[in-house]
Amino acid sequence: MDKKGVSMFPFVMMFVLIAGAIIIVFFFGFAKSVKTQGDFVNDLQVANLLERKLDSFTLAKNARNIFELPRISEVDIECRNGKTSIVVGESKRESFKLINAPRSFDNRRLIAWTLAWEYPFKIDNFYYLADNNVRFYFESVGGAGDMRNIIYNNLPTPPFTKFDRLPRNSLELNQADKNIVVYYNNRPSDAVFLSSKAKVIQVDIANNKVAFYRNDGNKDGEAEFFGLPMLYAAIFSEDFQEYGCVKEMAHERLKTMAAIYRLKAGNIRSSSECKIIFNLIGGKLANNDFTEDPIGSEFNSELSSLNQRLKGNGCPPLYLTL
């Protein structure tokens, strides 16, 4: 009787299937890992690119531009422990720039604006970021020469979208992803708080203060602003905490620059007439604690006048103006 051998074919096929499944799982996991790593690198590249684009603004007094990112990216700006960071996805690029932005962006086109902050000497630049989903509403703009009019007109449009009125209703507020509503004399109305997409602030021009409101209608906090560039920082910042962090960074730089100019005024060798003016400047810088509004104040005006006197008398100026 012939013995029939056991066929090895089923075992071979089973082995091939198992081995194939292992290989597929391995390469799928490997590809997924590579993609995740690639996304991480790309996020970091986007953050570095945005930082470099802002670098091009460093010497500008007032400039704006539209940045095209290499791809749609979720960009967030945060301020912690005396420095800002550009956050793209899971990557973070630390920066020491005074950057202000309302919430996160998920866009390829970002609008960037910068203003030089002067005392009257140059301290630093404030940087403002937004996208085309951000709308600015102002309670009123006043007439020519009114500070409300200056605040409204100095916000460049294009590229920003702004209105010289309040939103008509919560429906209008919800038509855009992000809205910034600026009040002056009146307390913000309850209607604006019905929209979770609205950031609401109240500007007290006379006392150089700005109040931030939460979406429940309660005040989140109040802080000073020193000049228009810092006021725009309050308008653009995501919330009270972010503004407070950037404001503290700016204040420290103001004190540092004032100390540098105070030393410069005391060490410049010049004629006796020039030396008298430098001593006046040094004394004013030494006696100012920089807790009051410097821009447009009497101190600011006097310092600017003394610097003009230096140039008028043929003395080296304390600082150069753009």
Side-chain angles (χ1 to χ4, degrees):
M1 188 171 69
D2 294 337
K3 293 183 179 180
K4 294 184 178 180
V6 178
S7 174
M8 296 296 294
F9 181 75
F11 296 100
V12 172
M13 289 302 298
M14 185 178 298
F15 174 78
V16 170
L17 290 173
I18 293 173
I22 292 173
I23 293 172
I24 290 173
V25 169
F26 171 77
F27 279 104
F28 177 77
F30 178 75
K32 185 177 180 181
S33 174
V34 170
K35 181 183 183 301
T36 301
Q37 184 179 9
D39 288 344
F40 179 82
V41 172
N42 288 334
D43 286 344
L44 187 58
Q45 288 174 342
V46 172
N48 289 336
L49 175 63
L50 185 53
E51 171 78 2
R52 290 196 300 271
K53 285 182 177 293
L54 292 178
D55 283 339
S56 66
F57 278 174
T58 302
L59 299 179
K61 188 179 180 72
N62 184 346
R64 61 186 184 271
N65 203 347
I66 296 178
F67 295 154
E68 291 279 355
L69 301 180
R71 60 181 173 81
I72 295 177
S73 304
E74 184 176 347
V75 180
D76 196 14
I77 304 297
E78 63 179 35
C79 182
R80 303 288 186 275
N81 303 317
K83 57 188 174 185
T84 53
S85 296
I86 301 172
V87 183
V88 181
E90 297 181 358
S91 299
K92 178 184 293 188
R93 165 65 187 260
E94 291 186 346
S95 174
F96 291 92
K97 292 182 174 65
L98 305 174
I99 310 174
N100 311 271
R103 302 179 184 174
S104 60
F105 309 105
D106 190 7
N107 206 318
R108 187 172 178 179
R109 292 166 60 90
L110 290 184
I111 304 168
W113 179 39
T114 188
L115 285 177
W117 190 39
E118 300 173 343
Y119 186 76
F121 48 79
K122 171 76 176 289
I123 303 165
D124 207 337
N125 275 56
F126 278 97
Y127 301 85
Y128 318 98
L129 292 178
D131 61 15
N132 54 12
N133 294 317
V134 179
R135 294 179 178 179
F136 298 85
Y137 293 88
F138 293 83
E139 177 189 17
S140 58
V141 296
D146 191 308
M147 184 55 67
R148 294 170 299 174
N149 191 273
I150 295 173
I151 294 169
Y152 179 80
N153 286 327
N154 278 2
L155 180 66
T157 181
F160 297 112
T161 301
K162 63 183 180 182
F163 300 91
D164 58 353
R165 60 169 176 80
L166 293 175
R168 296 186 177 92
N169 48 50
S170 59
L171 180 63
E172 180 180 356
L173 278 171
N174 283 298
Q175 288 177 347
D177 289 341
K178 306 179 189 74
N179 300 280
I180 298 174
V181 185
V182 180
Y183 280 80
Y184 290 107
N185 301 321
N186 300 318
R187 184 192 182 281
S189 66
D190 293 334
V192 297
F193 300 119
L194 297 176
S195 169
S196 60
K197 299 178 180 180
K199 170 198 167 182
V200 183
I201 65 171
Q202 184 179 29
V203 179
D204 182 352
I205 296 175
N207 296 303
N208 301 300
K209 290 186 177 181
V210 58
F212 293 76
Y213 285 85
R214 297 192 297 265
N215 289 114
D216 60 6
N218 293 316
K219 190 180 292 187
D220 189 27
E222 186 176 83
E224 300 83 4
F225 64 89
F226 300 151
L228 281 177
M230 190 177 284
L231 174 57
Y232 286 118
I235 293 174
F236 275 80
S237 292
E238 179 176 353
D239 53 32
F240 172 68
Q241 287 73 28
E242 291 291 318
Y243 170 66
C245 180
V246 173
K247 173 179 169 291
E248 184 61 29
M249 288 174 60
H251 194 221
E252 288 301 316
R253 293 178 192 183
L254 166 58
K255 291 189 289 186
T256 299
M257 292 300 298
I260 291 172
Y261 279 113
R262 184 172 67 246
L263 290 174
K264 179 180 178 180
N267 291 315
I268 290 181
R269 294 183 178 181
S270 57
S271 66
S272 58
E273 185 176 1
C274 297
K275 195 66 178 176
I276 291 173
I277 303 175
F278 279 120
N279 288 338
L280 289 172
I281 292 175
K284 287 187 177 296
L285 289 171
N287 294 327
N288 194 317
D289 60 3
F290 307 105
T291 58
E292 297 181 357
D293 175 29
I295 309 298
S297 66
E298 182 179 350
F299 174 88
N300 185 270
S301 177
E302 289 177 352
L303 201 62
S304 180
S305 178
L306 288 171
N307 196 59
Q308 289 296 327
R309 279 180 59 188
L310 286 172
K311 292 190 285 187
N313 290 328
C315 310
L318 180 70
Y319 61 91
L320 299 174
T321 55
L322 297 177

